[in-house]
Amino acid sequence: MKILVTGGAGFIGSHTVVELLQSGYEVVVVDNLSIGKREAVDAACKIAGKEAEFIHLDLTDEQATISIIGKIKPDAVIHFAAYKSVPESLSEPLTYYRNNMISGINILQAMYKSSCKTMIFSSSATVYGENPNIPFDEDTPLNPVSPYGRTKSHYEAVLHDFCIAHKDFTAIALRYFNPVGAHESGFLGEDPLGVPGNLLPYVTQVAIGRREKVFVYGNDYDTPDGTGIRDYLHVTDLALGHLAALDWATDNQGFEVFNLGRGEGASVLQILRSVEKACGRKLPYEIVSRRPGDVPASVCKAEKAATVLGWKAKMNIDKICQDAWNWQKINPEGFNPHYAVDGLPSTLTAQNGFKEK
Ligand code: WQD
């Protein structure tokens, strides 16, 4: 089977490419490299020991999308390509609606024209917004509080309506909680552009000496240690969730939604402590004010994916943080070829007293 992976040069997309290749799928990646990196696709192929075709494509270009999908003729599409920063979407809503919605409509139209009838869509738990009734199941009311979150919920509605109009089509929306970590090989991981907006890559950059300290966004939430709680899941577990959804789509039509998470919450300070355990030293941090738009807690009810897809996240917080640290230790500057894979440059060890654990 040939799987087209849009956004396959991104964090979750490239980890999914590894698992698809290792499971014997033929893989074609399309990406405009606005966020993702070509090195991530190369690393995925290196880990899998197999090749994936890469095509540079901007999905907002309707004709190019129709033409290229018509040539590729995929059996299914896993659609990751989207902008994904909540704060950025608040300041640039039109950029987000144009990119995320038009890309999604163009890929769906191109699939229809080339008789490709299966889509796995990268949705997000952000669609639930702020809701005190955790854990969230798939029937929890949608209440996204950012343009980013609304591009996800609106596109789910596009897929739902498309499946009503085309009974032989299958669309599965996977609502991710907090994807984190790195491939256990250390060759592939999260490599955010600029200053990481997300917690775990920021913490590992502090651990490697690229950043001075962790800023904890508030410790006055109604949670056990006062810091925000999230349902963190290993990116490899998440990638395997896409393969489980592909299997299920083989025998099922229509629109379906699944939450993908561990079903357990962890606080900011718990993540910090786990990375300290992984890197073998205390990490400096400062409690600052809450970040606008943050919800106190977001935790998944994971039963539906377990019973229907037969998928369950296997890796715990310590394994997640060990793999995240292992990636950062081997790749201090991410995919920057400046640093040797097998060691740290002297500047980092001297500056920060970095000691191998
Ligand atoms: C986690 C916790 C912060 C950074 C998620 C996805 C994100 C996006 C929206 C994907 C929160 C705290 C964070 C820091 C901190 N889109 N924090 N210091 O907010 O759940 O966002 O949904 O679908 O990609 O990750 O994840 O990692 O930003 O924050 O204290 O420097 O860590 O307040 O409690 P979040 P996050």
Side-chain angles (χ1 to χ4, degrees):
M1 257 181 97
K2 183 189 292 189
I3 310 297
L4 174 73
V5 181
T6 77
F11 171 46
I12 304 166
S14 54
H15 283 81
T16 304
V17 168
V18 173
E19 304 306 327
L20 287 167
L21 290 172
Q22 287 182 328
S23 297
Y25 288 100
E26 183 184 351
V27 175
V28 180
V29 172
V30 295
D31 201 301
N32 68 1
L33 300 180
S34 61
I35 302 174
K37 296 194 171 96
R38 180 66 201 267
E39 293 90 336
V41 182
D42 297 342
C45 294
K46 173 178 170 183
I47 294 166
K50 296 184 179 172
E51 282 311 304
E53 185 182 356
F54 176 83
I55 299 173
H56 190 283
L57 171 65
D58 185 337
L59 293 175
T60 60
D61 181 335
E62 181 182 10
Q63 288 317 310
T65 300
I66 289 170
S67 158
I68 287 174
I69 304 314
K71 290 194 182 83
I72 295 169
K73 292 204 179 316
D75 298 298
V77 170
I78 305 182
H79 180 43
F80 292 104
Y83 294 157
K84 65 141 202 153
S85 164
V86 169
E88 190 181 61
S89 77
L90 290 164
S91 60
E92 297 182 43
L94 281 187
T95 303
Y96 271 67
Y97 283 114
R98 179 183 299 112
N99 184 68
N100 292 5
M101 297 306 293
I102 290 176
S103 296
I105 289 164
N106 285 347
I107 188 70
L108 197 53
Q109 176 183 284
M111 288 172 68
Y112 181 65
K113 285 177 178 294
S114 60
S115 303
C116 176
K117 301 183 188 312
T118 300
M119 177 190 275
I120 311 296
F121 170 55
S122 166
S123 189
S124 166
T126 314
V127 300
Y128 296 120
E130 182 153 356
N131 184 328
N133 307 313
I134 55 170
F136 302 149
D137 67 19
E138 289 80 357
D139 297 324
T140 298
L142 303 193
N143 176 31
V145 292
S146 71
Y148 161 75
R150 278 187 277 274
T151 65
K152 294 296 185 182
S153 58
H154 293 345
Y155 191 66
E156 285 191 14
V158 168
L159 292 174
H160 185 255
D161 289 339
F162 189 82
C163 289
I164 289 169
H166 304 283
K167 298 296 183 203
D168 59 350
F169 197 84
T170 306
I172 298 174
L174 299 177
R175 293 175 182 162
Y176 312 155
F177 279 68
N178 283 59
V180 286
H183 191 270
E184 61 183 3
S185 66
F187 290 124
L188 186 59
E190 191 166 10
D191 184 22
L193 297 174
V195 179
N198 295 137
L199 177 67
L200 189 47
Y202 198 104
V203 175
T204 56
Q205 288 190 11
V206 170
I208 198 71
R210 278 175 63 183
R211 308 232 176 252
E212 184 207 345
K213 60 181 161 182
V214 177
F215 295 98
V216 177
Y217 296 148
N219 69 343
D220 56 351
Y221 287 106
D222 182 15
T223 61
D225 65 15
T227 64
I229 286 181
R230 295 292 184 275
D231 186 329
Y232 297 98
L233 82 150
H234 196 293
V235 63
T236 295
D237 274 333
L238 179 59
L240 292 168
H242 292 74
L243 273 69
L246 269 180
D247 288 344
W248 188 80
T250 311
D251 306 317
N252 294 276
Q253 274 75 42
F255 177 69
E256 199 59 64
V257 174
F258 294 95
N259 284 346
L260 295 188
R262 285 190 318 118
E264 271 175 60
S267 75
V268 175
L269 290 179
Q270 281 177 287
I271 294 293
L272 188 79
R273 301 286 175 245
S274 185
V275 176
E276 288 178 335
K277 221 186 308 182
C279 72
R281 69 189 183 98
K282 299 297 280 176
L283 299 177
Y285 70 91
E286 180 186 341
I287 305 289
V288 294
S289 54
R290 296 180 177 189
R291 178 173 64 177
D294 270 356
V295 298
S298 168
V299 178
C300 166
K301 201 160 188 192
E303 279 71 14
K304 185 178 175 185
T307 51
V308 177
L309 299 181
W311 174 88
K312 195 161 172 47
K314 295 188 174 67
M315 292 180 262
N316 64 19
I317 290 293
D318 283 346
K319 169 63 174 165
I320 287 170
C321 292
Q322 281 158 18
D323 287 347
W325 168 240
N326 184 48
W327 150 258
Q328 191 74 83
K329 185 175 65 175
I330 297 170
N331 307 274
E333 292 292 324
F335 288 111
N336 179 324
H338 182 63
Y339 287 92
V341 168
D342 58 0
L344 288 176
S346 56
T347 46
L348 281 177
T349 47
Q351 269 169 8
N352 300 286
F354 177 83
K355 295 272 180 299
E356 279 285 291
K357 191 174 168 232

